[in-house]
Amino acid sequence: MKNIILIGFMGVGKGSVAREVIKHSDYIAIDTDDLIESMENKTIKKVFAQDGEEYFRALEKKVSLWLENSVENTLISTGGGFYKQKNIKNIGTIVLLDSPFDKIIKRIKTHPNAAKKLKKRPLLADLKKAQELYDERLPEYKALADIVIDVTSKSALECAKEVLKKVKKYA
Ligand code: S3P
């Protein structure tokens, strides 16, 4: 099995879809933000606040090289900016989880843990800037993706089934 890499904007549901994919397949799941948090022994929020975004991006680069050289048969969910890693195409099949910005924000705001979800993401602190970031990234996400899944109004389980069906072509 080739690795599957889930990309997409913050809050689109990469983690929830990853959890459903592993329930319904033999993939193991890892998450680039989780790897960074364990490497640094602090939250992403703290890495941004104490060490800065540039430092965080350098950690993403380190993780991307490790993934390329050492990881197989894995579902990799990524932070929203991880797609910028130059070697991402060498890591596996790239699946974009796509949804309009307003729907993503609504999804976060109506989540039972909404406050926590917003607080842990430094780049969502200013929603106007986040919208600009979304507009800038969307064409880049789409250009990179092997598969695009519109997640709007779909459950994580429905999205996961779609991921598993569509990646078969790339196995
Ligand atoms: C980021 C997305 C976050 C996290 C960091 C930066 C981004 O991950 O990696 O806060 O640049 O979009 P999620 O997409 O899981 O929120």
Side-chain angles (χ1 to χ4, degrees), residues 104-161:
I104 295 177
I105 298 305
K106 193 173 163 209
R107 178 180 181 273
I108 298 177
K109 287 191 168 166
T110 53
H111 193 278
N113 276 333
K116 199 174 153 210
K117 290 207 167 271
L118 276 171
K119 225 172 126 199
K120 75 171 199 179
R121 296 181 163 103
L123 299 178
L124 283 184
D126 178 335
L127 285 185
K128 194 169 168 281
K129 280 197 187 144
Q131 164 96 64
E132 283 165 13
L133 190 62
Y134 175 91
D135 292 342
E136 182 188 310
R137 284 180 177 175
L138 188 61
E140 298 174 355
Y141 283 145
K142 287 192 171 164
L144 194 66
D146 297 305
I147 295 164
V148 179
I149 295 186
D150 181 357
V151 302
T152 318
S153 317
K154 287 180 195 155
S155 69
L157 175 60
E158 285 169 325
C159 298
K161 286 189 173 160

Side-chain angles (χ1 to χ4, degrees), residues 3-14:
N3 293 322
I4 303 172
I5 310 163
L6 291 185
I7 64 165
F9 202 66
M10 291 170 270
V12 77
K14 290 163 288 184

